[in-house]
Amino acid sequence: MPGSQSPDYAAAQILSDVLASQRGALFALVPQGKALATEFSYNARVQAGVGNALAAFPKGQDPSALLGEIRTILDTIRQKGVPADLVEAAKRKEIAALEFNANGITDLTQSWADALAYSGVDSPADLVKAYRNVTPEQVNALAARLLDPAHAVTGILTPSGGKSPDIGGNKGPESLLPPPSKNIVLPEWAATALADLPKPEPLSQPAYFTLGNGITLLVQPEHVSHTIRLYGAIRHNNYLQQPKGKEGVADLTSDLFLFGSTSHNRLAFAAALDELASDAHGGISFSLSTLSANFDKTLALLAENELHPAFPAQAFTILKQQAIASQAGILQSPGYRFQRAVTKALAPANDPSLRETTPQTLSTVSLADVQSFYKSAYRPDLTTIVVIGDITPEKARASVEAAFGSWTANGPKPVVDLPARPQSKRSETVVDDPGRVQDTVYLAQTVASGVKNPDRYALEVGNEVLGSGFASRLMQDLRVRSGMVYTTGSDFAWSANRGAFMITYGSDPDKTAKAHDAALRNVASMQSGPVSDDELLNAKGSILRAIPMERASFGGIAGQYLSLIGLGLPLTEPDERAKAVYGMSAKQVQDAFHRWVRPADMAQIIKGPAPK
C-alpha cells in the first residue's frame, strides 16, 4: 500500500475505509455466517504502507473456504471497483474524524503529529482537502493496481495442542544492566517540581437530570469542536440476570443489535449513519458520535435501534451457530482457563460468578429467550446517558426526552450487584499453555469490603508505592536488583460489594517460586513499617497529577461518570479522593495494609510451564 507521503495516500485511506465498511462485501461474511469477525486495516509509514484483510473462524474449521471468499472479494473489487456511495461515505467520515480529534488531548496531538511527521503537510486541515479531492475513479484505479490476491502474503493462525516445551538449560540468563549502587539524585529543577504537591481543586460537574422514566442524564457542554458524543450504559450483571441453563443469551442479545431496527435493516441503518457521517451502536452499552448539526437525526437512529431492535430470526440462527462453534474452542483456550482459575480461587462454591456459557447452554437459547431477556434487562430505570460536546444542557435534555421518553421498564427492578463473598484462602493452580516458555503469575486474594471501603484511598496510595510503575518496590526488587521477572505490578479491584488485591508478574519457570516469595515479602514490608517520606510524596503526586489527565478526553470524562454511577458513588467522589490522597499519612497507609491485606492467604495461579 502507499506510504503516507505518497500522492495516493488519501485515496488509499478511503479504499481501506470502503473495504472495512459494514456495508462492504468483506464485513458481509459475518452476518452470512461465513466468519466470526472481519476487518481491513491500513498502516502507513512515510515511504510505504501495509494493508491487512483479516477474518476469524472457529477452532477446528477448515479455513480454506474462508480464505477463498476473501481472495474472491478482493479480486472482484480489483476488477469491478467499489460503489461510489461508499467512497463518498468514507470521505465524510474521515473529514469528520479529524474534527473529533479535537475532543481529546492525545487524539489532537496525534492528529498534528501524523500530519507533520508522516504526511508531510502543514496541518490536519491539509488532510481534509486531500480527502475531499479523492474521486471514485482514483480509488478504483488504486484497487486495480494493489488488490491482487496473487501478491498477498497469507498467514493462518490456529490453536495448537500438546504441552509447553521443556526449555531446560538451553536458555541463557537475561543480560541486565547493573542496578545503581545508590539512590539517584534528581536535578534541582526536577526535585523542586516533584516536591510541589498539586493542591486539589474541585472538578467541574455536569448538569444532572432524572427523566420521567428513570433515565439518569448527565450533560457536559464542551465547545472545543463542532461535535457531540453520547455514551449510554444499562446497569446489569449477566451472572445474576441470565436464566439458569440459558447462559450466553446476554451476548447473543447484544450481538443482534448489529442487524438494525424494525424500521431500518442492517444495511439501511448503516447507510443512514454514513449519510450523516455519524456512528451509533445499540446494546447494553450504547453510543453515538456525530457532528453537532446532525445530533437529533443520529439520536433518533440510535433510539430506534435501542428501543426497537430488529432481532431477525435468520440472523439469530447464524449468530447462535457461530457462538456454539466459538465457545467450544474458547473453553479449551489457556487464556479462558487461566481467568476461570483466578475466579475459582476467589469465589466460594456455587458463587454466581462461576456460571459458565457452554455450547450446551447456548444450544438451548431460542429467539424468544433473547426477546424475553431484552425486555427484562434493557430498562430505562437502570440506564445512565452522558452527553458531551457542542450542546447546551437544555437542548440535550429535550432531545434525549424526545428520543427515549417512550421507553418503559417491565417488571420489578433486577438485582445487578453481586453479593459479598467470604475471604479466600491460599491455593495453587497451574494452567498449561502450549508453546509458552515463560510463566504469567497472578497472586490474588479477596478484600473483605466493597468499593465503599473506608481505607480505599490509603490502599491506593500504598499500592502506588508497592506495585505501580517502574519505581515501585516490586519492580525494583523483583526485576531491577534481582532479574527474577520481566515485568510486575499490583492493584486493587472494586465492585459494589466486593474487593480484590492482585500481584502479577512474568518470569522463567525456575524463578517463579523465588519471585513469589519476594513479592510476598514486599507486601509484608508494607505492613511492618511506614513507607518513606519520599515514597509517600511521589505516590501522592503521581495520583494527584493523574486525576486531571483522566478527564483529558470526552471518552475519559464520560467513562468516569458512568463508572461512578455504576458503583453507586457520588459524582464528587474524585474531589473526595484528591483531598484524601493529599492529606494521607504513612501511618494510614501502613494501617490499611495491615487491616485488609493477608499475604499468607494469597492464591497463586500460573499460566505456562510448572515452576521448577
Side-chain angles (χ1 to χ4, degrees):
M1 298 280 281
S4 57
Q5 292 193 7
S6 164
D8 291 324
Y9 169 70
Q13 184 63 65
I14 298 304
L15 173 61
S16 171
D17 293 344
V18 171
L19 292 171
S21 170
Q22 287 196 2
R23 291 197 281 155
L26 185 62
F27 184 82
L29 296 174
V30 177
Q32 291 168 3
K34 297 177 180 179
L36 299 176
T38 63
E39 67 178 48
F40 190 91
S41 61
Y42 170 38
N43 185 16
R45 293 294 184 250
V46 173
Q47 298 298 329
V50 175
N52 290 293
L54 180 147
F57 58 94
K59 178 182 178 181
Q61 178 178 301
D62 182 357
S64 57
L66 181 57
L67 181 59
E69 292 274 3
I70 297 173
R71 286 174 168 160
T72 298
I73 288 170
L74 295 178
D75 195 49
T76 300
I77 292 173
R78 176 183 176 225
Q79 296 182 43
K80 298 183 178 180
V82 297
D85 64 324
L86 290 187
V87 172
E88 293 306 315
K91 290 167 60 176
R92 287 192 295 270
K93 285 202 167 183
E94 283 293 344
I95 293 169
L98 291 169
E99 183 79 11
F100 282 112
N101 284 342
N103 299 339
I105 289 175
T106 302
D107 289 341
L108 183 59
T109 305
Q110 190 65 53
S111 179
W112 276 88
D114 287 345
L116 298 174
Y118 280 112
S119 298
V121 295
D122 292 333
S123 76
D126 290 333
L127 293 177
V128 172
K129 296 176 184 176
Y131 290 135
R132 282 182 176 148
N133 290 333
V134 172
T135 65
E137 291 75 20
Q138 288 176 306
V139 173
N140 289 334
L142 196 63
R145 192 171 89 235
L146 296 177
L147 300 184
D148 185 351
H151 291 168
V153 176
T154 299
I156 299 175
L157 180 67
T158 57
S160 60
K163 296 291 184 181
S164 299
D166 181 7
I167 61 173
N170 299 327
K171 183 173 177 289
E174 181 184 21
S175 176
L176 295 171
L177 293 174
S181 58
K182 58 183 179 180
N183 288 338
I184 301 296
V185 178
L186 291 174
E188 183 178 352
W189 64 267
T192 300
L194 292 177
D196 184 16
L197 202 62
K199 190 172 181 178
E201 298 290 342
L203 300 173
S204 61
Q205 294 294 318
Y208 189 111
F209 306 101
T210 301
L211 304 189
N213 57 2
I215 291 176
T216 297
L217 172 63
L218 309 178
V219 185
Q220 183 148 329
E222 297 285 352
H223 302 291
V224 294
S225 69
H226 298 299
T227 66
I228 300 170
R229 288 190 182 269
L230 180 149
Y231 305 83
I234 303 170
R235 292 192 64 217
H236 68 287
N237 191 299
N238 292 342
Y239 295 124
L240 298 174
Q241 292 177 268
Q242 293 184 115
K244 290 185 178 180
K246 302 289 184 179
E247 288 83 0
V249 66
D251 288 339
L252 283 174
T253 303
S254 181
D255 292 344
L256 278 167
F257 279 87
L258 167 67
F259 293 89
S261 69
T262 52
S263 299
H264 291 81
N265 66 20
R266 180 182 73 84
L267 292 175
F269 188 77
L273 291 171
D274 282 348
E275 186 67 26
L276 299 169
S278 300
D279 285 309
H281 306 278
I284 205 75
S285 294
F286 53 94
S287 64
L288 71 77
S289 57
T290 184
L291 299 173
S292 306
N294 296 333
F295 178 66
D296 283 337
K297 291 180 180 179
T298 307
L299 181 60
L301 287 168
L302 173 64
E304 181 185 297
N305 186 216
E306 189 72 15
L307 306 188
H308 307 286
F311 291 168
Q314 182 180 5
F316 167 76
T317 300
I318 291 172
L319 288 182
K320 178 179 172 178
Q321 292 170 344
Q322 288 180 325
I324 291 171
S326 300
Q327 196 65 17
I330 290 171
L331 293 178
Q332 300 173 37
S333 68
Y336 176 86
R337 291 187 292 115
F338 180 61
Q339 290 301 324
R340 179 80 174 166
V342 174
T343 302
K344 285 185 175 181
L346 300 182
N350 300 318
D351 190 76
S353 66
L354 295 176
R355 295 181 63 185
E356 190 173 35
T357 299
T358 68
Q360 291 72 32
T361 64
L362 284 165
S363 67
T364 70
V365 176
S366 66
L367 184 56
D369 293 325
V370 165
Q371 293 164 336
S372 176
F373 182 81
Y374 169 76
K375 289 178 181 177
S376 64
Y378 288 67
R379 45 192 302 139
D381 53 353
L382 288 175
T383 297
T384 300
I385 293 176
V386 181
V387 178
I388 303 181
D390 186 28
I391 195 169
T392 65
E394 296 75 21
K395 167 59 179 170
R397 177 177 183 173
S399 295
V400 171
E401 280 187 323
F404 284 91
S406 63
W407 191 11
T408 57
N410 292 285
K413 187 182 294 188
V415 175
V416 295
D417 292 321
L418 288 168
R421 58 189 170 187
Q423 297 284 55
S424 59
K425 301 297 183 182
R426 178 183 173 87
S427 63
E428 295 183 4
T429 306
V430 177
V431 177
D432 191 63
D433 186 355
R436 178 182 287 271
V437 298
Q438 299 166 5
D439 285 335
T440 295
V441 183
Y442 281 14
L443 307 179
Q445 67 176 210
T446 58
V447 177
S449 172
V451 72
K452 294 183 180 178
N453 185 307
D455 291 323
R456 181 162 59 97
Y457 303 130
L459 292 171
E460 180 183 9
V461 173
N463 187 72
E464 195 75 22
V465 174
L466 175 66
S468 180
F470 200 83
S472 68
R473 289 184 178 185
L474 287 176
M475 185 66 83
Q476 291 297 305
D477 187 16
L478 275 64
R479 174 172 174 166
V480 175
R481 287 191 290 270
S482 64
M484 290 187 289
V485 306
Y486 298 94
T487 184
T488 183
S490 63
D491 204 2
F492 288 88
W494 306 99
S495 64
N497 301 314
R498 298 183 172 191
F501 172 59
M502 187 173 294
I503 296 172
T504 63
Y505 61 88
S507 66
D508 287 339
D510 61 346
K511 297 183 176 70
T512 296
K514 293 179 181 179
H516 168 275
D517 294 342
L520 295 190
R521 283 197 302 271
N522 277 274
V523 175
S525 73
M526 298 292 297
Q527 300 173 319
S528 61
V531 299
S532 70
D533 291 343
D534 283 345
E535 286 177 317
L536 182 65
L537 177 66
N538 288 337
K540 291 161 69 171
S542 177
I543 294 170
L544 292 171
R545 293 185 180 97
I547 288 175
M549 293 306 298
E550 293 168 356
R551 297 162 61 95
S553 68
F554 283 14
I557 295 169
Q560 185 178 81
Y561 291 156
L562 291 174
S563 176
L564 292 171
I565 295 290
L567 290 169
L569 297 174
L571 296 181
T572 55
E573 189 272 346
D575 295 333
E576 298 169 10
R577 174 179 170 229
K579 290 177 184 177
V581 169
Y582 187 81
M584 192 66 62
S585 70
K587 187 175 188 310
Q588 286 175 292
V589 172
Q590 181 185 356
D591 289 347
F593 265 75
H594 190 271
R595 186 176 296 117
W596 299 103
V597 181
R598 300 165 286 112
D601 286 340
M602 297 285 279
Q604 177 179 264
I605 307 95
I606 297 171
K607 181 171 67 170
K612 296 183 178 181

Coordinates of all heavy atoms in Angstrom, one line a residue, residues 466-527:
L466 N 3.9 0.2 46.3 CA 4.2 -1.2 46.2 C 4.4 -1.7 44.7 O 5.4 -2.4 44.4 CB 3.1 -2.1 46.8 CG 3.2 -3.6 46.7 CD1 4.5 -4.1 47.4 CD2 2.0 -4.3 47.2
G467 N 3.4 -1.4 43.8 CA 3.4 -2.1 42.6 C 2.9 -1.3 41.4 O 2.5 -1.9 40.4
S468 N 3.0 0.0 41.4 CA 2.6 0.8 40.2 C 3.7 1.6 39.6 O 4.3 2.5 40.2 CB 1.5 1.8 40.7 OG 1.1 2.6 39.6
G469 N 4.1 1.2 38.4 CA 5.2 1.9 37.7 C 6.6 1.3 38.0 O 6.8 0.4 38.8
F470 N 7.6 1.8 37.2 CA 8.9 1.3 37.2 C 9.6 1.5 38.5 O 10.6 0.8 38.9 CB 9.7 1.8 36.1 CG 10.9 1.0 35.7 CD1 10.8 -0.2 34.9 CD2 12.2 1.3 36.2 CE1 11.9 -1.0 34.6 CE2 13.3 0.5 35.9 CZ 13.1 -0.7 35.1
A471 N 9.3 2.6 39.3 CA 9.9 2.9 40.5 C 9.3 2.2 41.7 O 9.8 2.4 42.8 CB 9.9 4.4 40.7
S472 N 8.3 1.3 41.5 CA 7.7 0.7 42.6 C 8.6 -0.3 43.3 O 9.6 -0.8 42.7 CB 6.4 -0.1 42.1 OG 6.8 -1.1 41.3
R473 N 8.3 -0.7 44.5 CA 9.1 -1.7 45.2 C 9.2 -3.0 44.5 O 10.2 -3.6 44.4 CB 8.5 -1.9 46.6 CG 8.7 -0.7 47.6 CD 8.2 -1.0 49.0 NE 8.4 0.1 49.9 CZ 8.2 0.1 51.2 NH1 7.6 -1.0 51.7 NH2 8.4 1.1 52.0
L474 N 8.0 -3.5 44.0 CA 8.0 -4.8 43.3 C 9.0 -4.8 42.1 O 9.7 -5.7 41.9 CB 6.6 -5.2 42.9 CG 5.7 -5.6 44.0 CD1 4.3 -5.8 43.4 CD2 6.2 -6.9 44.7
M475 N 8.9 -3.7 41.3 CA 9.7 -3.6 40.1 C 11.2 -3.5 40.4 O 12.0 -4.2 39.8 CB 9.2 -2.5 39.2 CG 9.9 -2.4 37.9 SD 9.6 -3.8 36.8 CE 8.0 -3.2 36.0
Q476 N 11.5 -2.7 41.4 CA 12.9 -2.5 41.8 C 13.5 -3.8 42.4 O 14.6 -4.2 42.1 CB 13.0 -1.4 42.8 CG 12.7 0.0 42.2 CD 13.7 0.4 41.1 OE1 14.9 0.4 41.3 NE2 13.2 0.7 39.9
D477 N 12.7 -4.5 43.2 CA 13.2 -5.7 43.9 C 13.2 -6.9 43.0 O 14.2 -7.6 42.9 CB 12.4 -6.0 45.1 CG 12.9 -7.1 46.0 OD1 14.1 -7.4 45.8 OD2 12.2 -7.6 46.8
L478 N 12.1 -7.1 42.3 CA 12.0 -8.4 41.5 C 12.6 -8.3 40.1 O 13.0 -9.3 39.6 CB 10.5 -8.8 41.3 CG 9.8 -9.6 42.5 CD1 9.8 -8.8 43.8 CD2 8.5 -10.0 42.1
R479 N 12.8 -7.1 39.6 CA 13.4 -7.0 38.3 C 14.8 -6.3 38.3 O 15.8 -6.9 37.9 CB 12.5 -6.3 37.3 CG 13.2 -6.1 36.0 CD 12.4 -5.5 34.8 NE 13.3 -5.3 33.7 CZ 12.8 -5.0 32.5 NH1 11.5 -5.1 32.2 NH2 13.7 -4.8 31.5
V480 N 14.8 -5.1 38.8 CA 16.0 -4.3 38.6 C 17.1 -4.8 39.4 O 18.3 -5.0 38.9 CB 15.7 -2.8 39.1 CG1 17.0 -2.0 39.0 CG2 14.7 -2.2 38.1
R481 N 16.9 -5.2 40.7 CA 18.0 -5.7 41.5 C 18.3 -7.2 41.4 O 19.4 -7.6 41.5 CB 17.7 -5.3 43.0 CG 17.9 -3.9 43.3 CD 17.8 -3.6 44.8 NE 16.5 -3.9 45.4 CZ 15.6 -2.9 45.5 NH1 15.8 -1.7 45.0 NH2 14.4 -3.2 46.0
S482 N 17.3 -8.0 41.1 CA 17.5 -9.4 41.0 C 17.3 -10.1 39.7 O 17.7 -11.2 39.5 CB 16.5 -10.1 42.1 OG 15.2 -9.9 41.7
G483 N 16.6 -9.4 38.8 CA 16.4 -10.0 37.4 C 15.5 -11.2 37.5 O 15.5 -12.1 36.5
M484 N 14.6 -11.4 38.5 CA 13.8 -12.6 38.6 C 12.6 -12.5 37.6 O 12.0 -13.6 37.3 CB 13.3 -12.8 40.0 CG 14.4 -13.2 41.0 SD 13.7 -13.6 42.6 CE 13.3 -12.0 43.2
V485 N 12.1 -11.3 37.3 CA 10.9 -11.2 36.5 C 11.2 -10.2 35.3 O 12.1 -9.5 35.3 CB 9.7 -10.7 37.3 CG1 9.5 -11.6 38.5 CG2 9.9 -9.2 37.7
Y486 N 10.3 -10.3 34.4 CA 10.3 -9.4 33.2 C 9.5 -8.1 33.5 O 9.8 -7.0 33.1 CB 9.9 -10.1 31.9 CG 10.8 -11.2 31.6 CD1 10.5 -12.5 32.0 CD2 12.0 -11.1 30.9 CE1 11.3 -13.6 31.7 CE2 12.8 -12.1 30.6 CZ 12.5 -13.4 31.0 OH 13.3 -14.4 30.8
T487 N 8.4 -8.3 34.1 CA 7.5 -7.2 34.5 C 6.7 -7.6 35.7 O 6.5 -8.8 35.9 CB 6.6 -6.8 33.3 OG1 5.8 -5.7 33.6 CG2 5.6 -8.0 33.0
T488 N 6.2 -6.7 36.5 CA 5.5 -6.9 37.6 C 4.7 -5.7 38.0 O 5.0 -4.6 37.7 CB 6.3 -7.4 38.8 OG1 5.5 -7.8 39.9 CG2 7.3 -6.3 39.2
G489 N 3.6 -5.9 38.8 CA 2.8 -4.8 39.3 C 1.7 -5.4 40.2 O 1.6 -6.6 40.4
S490 N 1.0 -4.5 40.8 CA -0.1 -4.9 41.7 C -1.2 -3.9 41.6 O -1.1 -2.8 41.1 CB 0.4 -4.9 43.2 OG 0.8 -3.7 43.6
D491 N -2.4 -4.3 42.1 CA -3.6 -3.4 42.0 C -4.7 -3.9 42.9 O -4.7 -5.1 43.2 CB -4.1 -3.3 40.6 CG -4.8 -1.9 40.3 OD1 -4.9 -1.1 41.3 OD2 -5.3 -1.7 39.2
F492 N -5.6 -3.0 43.3 CA -6.9 -3.4 43.9 C -8.0 -3.2 42.9 O -8.0 -2.2 42.2 CB -7.1 -2.5 45.2 CG -6.2 -2.7 46.3 CD1 -4.9 -2.1 46.4 CD2 -6.5 -3.6 47.3 CE1 -4.1 -2.4 47.5 CE2 -5.7 -3.9 48.4 CZ -4.5 -3.3 48.5
A493 N -9.0 -4.1 43.0 CA -10.2 -4.0 42.1 C -11.4 -4.0 43.0 O -11.4 -4.7 44.0 CB -10.2 -5.2 41.2
W494 N -12.4 -3.2 42.6 CA -13.5 -3.0 43.5 C -14.8 -3.1 42.7 O -14.9 -2.7 41.5 CB -13.5 -1.6 44.2 CG -12.3 -1.3 44.9 CD1 -11.2 -0.5 44.5 CD2 -11.9 -1.7 46.2 NE1 -10.2 -0.5 45.4 CE2 -10.6 -1.2 46.5 CE3 -12.6 -2.5 47.2 CZ2 -10.0 -1.4 47.7 CZ3 -12.0 -2.7 48.4 CH2 -10.7 -2.2 48.7
S495 N -15.8 -3.6 43.3 CA -17.2 -3.5 42.8 C -18.1 -3.1 44.0 O -17.5 -2.8 45.1 CB -17.7 -4.9 42.2 OG -17.7 -5.9 43.2
A496 N -19.4 -3.1 43.8 CA -20.2 -2.6 44.9 C -20.0 -3.3 46.2 O -19.9 -2.6 47.3 CB -21.7 -2.7 44.5
N497 N -19.9 -4.6 46.2 CA -19.8 -5.4 47.4 C -18.6 -6.2 47.6 O -18.4 -7.0 48.5 CB -21.1 -6.3 47.6 CG -22.4 -5.5 47.5 OD1 -22.5 -4.6 48.2 ND2 -23.3 -6.0 46.7
R498 N -17.7 -6.1 46.6 CA -16.5 -7.0 46.6 C -15.2 -6.2 46.3 O -15.3 -5.2 45.6 CB -16.7 -8.1 45.5 CG -17.9 -9.0 45.8 CD -18.0 -10.1 44.7 NE -19.0 -11.1 45.1 CZ -19.2 -12.2 44.5 NH1 -18.4 -12.6 43.5 NH2 -20.1 -13.1 44.9
G499 N -14.2 -6.7 46.9 CA -12.8 -6.2 46.6 C -11.9 -7.3 46.4 O -12.1 -8.4 46.8
A500 N -10.8 -7.0 45.7 CA -9.7 -8.0 45.4 C -8.4 -7.3 45.3 O -8.3 -6.1 44.9 CB -10.0 -8.8 44.1
F501 N -7.3 -8.0 45.7 CA -6.0 -7.5 45.6 C -5.2 -8.5 44.8 O -5.3 -9.7 45.0 CB -5.4 -7.3 47.0 CG -3.9 -7.0 47.0 CD1 -3.4 -5.9 46.4 CD2 -3.0 -7.9 47.6 CE1 -2.1 -5.6 46.4 CE2 -1.6 -7.6 47.6 CZ -1.1 -6.4 47.0
M502 N -4.4 -8.0 43.9 CA -3.7 -8.9 43.0 C -2.3 -8.4 42.7 O -2.1 -7.2 42.5 CB -4.5 -9.0 41.7 CG -3.9 -10.1 40.7 SD -5.0 -10.3 39.3 CE -6.5 -11.0 40.2
I503 N -1.3 -9.3 42.6 CA 0.0 -9.0 42.2 C 0.2 -9.9 40.9 O -0.2 -11.0 40.9 CB 1.1 -9.4 43.2 CG1 0.9 -8.6 44.5 CG2 2.5 -9.3 42.7 CD1 1.8 -9.0 45.7
T504 N 0.9 -9.3 39.9 CA 1.1 -10.0 38.7 C 2.6 -9.9 38.4 O 3.3 -8.9 38.7 CB 0.3 -9.5 37.5 OG1 0.7 -8.1 37.3 CG2 -1.2 -9.5 37.8
Y505 N 3.1 -11.0 37.7 CA 4.5 -10.9 37.2 C 4.7 -12.0 36.2 O 3.9 -13.0 36.1 CB 5.6 -11.0 38.3 CG 5.6 -12.3 39.1 CD1 6.3 -13.4 38.7 CD2 4.9 -12.4 40.3 CE1 6.3 -14.6 39.5 CE2 4.9 -13.6 41.1 CZ 5.6 -14.7 40.7 OH 5.6 -15.8 41.4
G506 N 5.7 -11.8 35.4 CA 6.1 -12.8 34.3 C 7.5 -13.2 34.6 O 8.4 -12.4 34.8
S507 N 7.8 -14.5 34.5 CA 9.2 -15.0 34.9 C 9.4 -16.3 34.2 O 8.5 -17.0 33.7 CB 9.3 -15.1 36.4 OG 8.5 -16.2 36.9
D508 N 10.7 -16.7 34.2 CA 11.0 -18.1 33.8 C 10.6 -19.0 34.9 O 10.6 -18.7 36.0 CB 12.5 -18.2 33.6 CG 13.0 -17.5 32.3 OD1 12.2 -17.3 31.4 OD2 14.2 -17.2 32.2
P509 N 10.2 -20.3 34.5 CA 9.7 -21.2 35.5 C 10.7 -21.5 36.7 O 10.2 -21.7 37.8 CB 9.5 -22.5 34.7 CG 9.3 -22.1 33.3 CD 10.2 -20.9 33.1
D510 N 12.0 -21.4 36.4 CA 12.9 -21.6 37.5 C 13.1 -20.5 38.5 O 13.7 -20.6 39.5 CB 14.3 -22.0 37.0 CG 14.9 -20.9 36.1 OD1 14.2 -20.0 35.7 OD2 16.1 -21.0 35.8
K511 N 12.4 -19.3 38.1 CA 12.5 -18.2 39.0 C 11.1 -17.9 39.6 O 11.0 -16.9 40.5 CB 12.9 -16.9 38.2 CG 14.4 -17.0 37.7 CD 14.8 -15.7 37.0 CE 16.2 -15.8 36.5 NZ 16.4 -16.7 35.4
T512 N 10.1 -18.6 39.2 CA 8.7 -18.3 39.7 C 8.6 -18.4 41.2 O 8.0 -17.5 41.8 CB 7.7 -19.2 39.0 OG1 7.7 -19.0 37.6 CG2 6.3 -19.0 39.5
A513 N 9.1 -19.4 41.8 CA 8.9 -19.6 43.2 C 9.7 -18.5 44.0 O 9.2 -17.9 45.0 CB 9.4 -21.0 43.7
K514 N 10.9 -18.2 43.6 CA 11.6 -17.1 44.2 C 10.9 -15.8 44.1 O 10.9 -15.0 45.1 CB 13.1 -17.0 43.7 CG 13.9 -18.2 43.9 CD 15.3 -18.1 43.3 CE 16.2 -19.3 43.5 NZ 17.5 -19.2 42.9
A515 N 10.4 -15.5 43.0 CA 9.7 -14.2 42.8 C 8.4 -14.2 43.6 O 8.1 -13.1 44.2 CB 9.3 -14.1 41.3
H516 N 7.7 -15.3 43.8 CA 6.6 -15.4 44.7 C 6.9 -15.0 46.1 O 6.3 -14.2 46.7 CB 6.0 -16.8 44.6 CG 5.0 -17.1 45.7 ND1 5.4 -17.5 47.0 CD2 3.7 -17.1 45.6 CE1 4.3 -17.7 47.7 NE2 3.2 -17.5 46.9
D517 N 8.0 -15.6 46.6 CA 8.4 -15.3 48.0 C 8.8 -13.8 48.1 O 8.5 -13.2 49.1 CB 9.6 -16.2 48.4 CG 9.1 -17.7 48.5 OD1 7.9 -17.9 48.5 OD2 10.0 -18.5 48.5
A518 N 9.5 -13.3 47.1 CA 10.0 -11.9 47.2 C 8.8 -11.0 47.2 O 8.8 -9.9 47.8 CB 11.0 -11.6 46.1
A519 N 7.8 -11.3 46.3 CA 6.6 -10.4 46.2 C 5.9 -10.4 47.6 O 5.5 -9.3 48.0 CB 5.7 -10.9 45.1
L520 N 5.7 -11.5 48.2 CA 5.0 -11.5 49.5 C 5.8 -10.8 50.6 O 5.3 -10.2 51.5 CB 4.7 -13.0 49.9 CG 3.7 -13.7 49.0 CD1 3.3 -15.0 49.7 CD2 2.5 -12.9 48.7
R521 N 7.2 -10.9 50.5 CA 8.0 -10.1 51.5 C 7.8 -8.6 51.3 O 7.7 -7.9 52.3 CB 9.5 -10.4 51.3 CG 9.9 -11.8 51.8 CD 11.4 -11.8 52.0 NE 12.1 -11.6 50.7 CZ 12.4 -12.6 49.8 NH1 12.1 -13.8 50.1 NH2 13.1 -12.3 48.7
N522 N 7.6 -8.2 50.1 CA 7.3 -6.8 49.8 C 6.0 -6.4 50.4 O 5.8 -5.3 50.9 CB 7.4 -6.5 48.3 CG 8.9 -6.2 47.9 OD1 9.4 -5.1 48.0 ND2 9.5 -7.3 47.4
V523 N 5.0 -7.3 50.3 CA 3.7 -7.0 50.8 C 3.8 -6.9 52.3 O 3.2 -5.9 53.0 CB 2.6 -8.0 50.4 CG1 1.3 -7.8 51.1 CG2 2.4 -8.0 48.9
A524 N 4.5 -7.8 53.0 CA 4.7 -7.8 54.4 C 5.4 -6.5 54.9 O 5.1 -6.0 56.0 CB 5.4 -9.1 54.9
S525 N 6.3 -6.0 54.1 CA 7.0 -4.8 54.5 C 6.1 -3.6 54.5 O 6.4 -2.7 55.2 CB 8.2 -4.6 53.5 OG 7.7 -4.1 52.2
M526 N 5.0 -3.6 53.7 CA 4.1 -2.5 53.7 C 3.3 -2.5 55.1 O 2.8 -1.5 55.5 CB 3.1 -2.6 52.6 CG 3.7 -2.6 51.2 SD 4.3 -0.9 50.8 CE 2.8 0.1 50.9
Q527 N 3.2 -3.7 55.7 CA 2.5 -3.8 57.0 C 3.4 -3.6 58.2 O 2.9 -3.1 59.2 CB 1.9 -5.2 57.0 CG 0.9 -5.5 55.9 CD 0.4 -6.9 55.9 OE1 1.2 -7.9 56.2 NE2 -0.9 -7.1 55.7

